[in-house]
Each structure stands twice: as C-alpha cells, then as structure tokens.
Amino acid sequence: MTRSDAERNRRILLNAAAEALAENPGASIAQVARTAGLARATVYRHFRTRQDLLEAMRAEALVSAAEAIAGSRLDEGDPLDALRRAVDALASHGVRFRALLVEGAELDPTFLQGRAEVLAPLHEVVRRGQKAGLIRPELPAQWVVTAMAALLAAGVRTLASGTDHRTVANLIFETLTDGVGTHP
C-alpha cells in the first residue's frame, strides 16, 4: 500500500468514524469499518484501539477548529460580527465531531489545552469588542471565550444529530451576547 493510499484510508476512516459515532456514540470498530466500506483489519492497521481512533478524531477536531477560526476573518469588521462568523464556523465543524463531546473530550486535559490554543485568537476579538463598547469591559476576555466554548460544547452535544449547524450557531451566539434574561 502506498503512503497516499494509507493517508486516503485514514481520512476515509476518520470521516466514517465521525458518521458512525454521530449515529451511535458507542459504535464499535467493526461499525466504523462497515461505514467506511473497508475491512476491519484496515481500521486496526491505522488505529490499534477504539481509544486510538478517538484520539485521532480529537486531533482532527482541533485542526478543523483552527482552520475554521483562521477562515473566520477575525480582523474584518465589527468584533461581534467576527465572533458570529467564528461561532458559525466552529458550530459547523463541531456538529461533525459531536460524538467526541458525548465521549467526554472536553474532560481530557490534553484536548482542553489544545482547544485553549486554538481559541486564543478570539481573545483579541473580545478585547476589540470591549474597546468598542460592544462587550462588557469588566469580563476577562478569557472568560468570554471559555463561556463561548462551553456553549458550543453544550449546543453541539445536546441538539439532535442532523440539526443544522446554523441553528446551533444562532442559539450559541444569542445566548453569549444577550444572555438568557429578558431585557425591558
């Protein structure tokens, strides 16, 4: 098997794992192999255990989130618009990795450290929003980003599989920016 075939199979397996685990968070390696249309032995050549597969998916989720943030044009326009673009992009990718949240990825210290690094560019967006009077200045930027991450995790975890990511993104953004109280 050539290196490009191996990489293609790995990509197919990670996509199939995301799909199989979205349908059934307890999906086995055999179910992932069936979803991928590959032999179970092929899965085991890439991932010795289900845990290894989940770790690879966590790494892919962080890369995907970093790409989503990078593509969100954080330096353009109003800081709240930049945050909305980031939330929308992250929700889009997050729905794909919903099974990781069900599996408890946000409890893994290594994953949390990686997530903090990926979300770090959003701190500057929050500070810009504070300077512009759009975000409460007494709230630490890290707190706002952490709250956003928690809302993303909750939104992606609790909404039904197949829910449009824009629905998730709107709920997250509205809760983040407006809170849950009524405003007279």
Side-chain angles (χ1 to χ4, degrees), residues 21-22 25 90-91 93-108 111-112 115 149-163 168 172:
L21 291 167
L90 289 167
H93 291 274
V95 168
R96 180 170 185 267
F97 296 106
R98 178 180 179 270
L100 294 177
L101 296 171
V102 171
E103 288 281 334
E106 74 272 16
L107 302 176
D108 174 20
F111 180 80
L112 289 174
R115 184 181 74 181
L151 287 168
L152 274 161
V156 169
R157 186 186 317 104
T158 60
L159 292 175
S161 182
T163 301
V168 176
I172 293 163

Side-chain angles (χ1 to χ4, degrees), residues 54-74:
L54 291 173
E55 286 176 21
M57 288 180 66
R58 284 186 198 110
E60 184 183 4
L62 291 173
V63 168
S64 179
E67 290 170 352
I69 288 173
S72 295
R73 304 178 329 273
L74 297 180

Side-chain angles (χ1 to χ4, degrees), residues 124-142:
E124 182 54 37
V125 177
V126 171
R127 286 190 281 277
R128 276 190 12 235
Q130 290 170 324
K131 287 178 187 170
L134 300 170
I135 297 173
R136 291 175 31 201
E138 72 275 11
L139 297 175
Q142 182 175 351

Side-chain angles (χ1 to χ4, degrees), residues 29 136 146 169:
I29 292 284
R136 291 175 31 201
T146 300

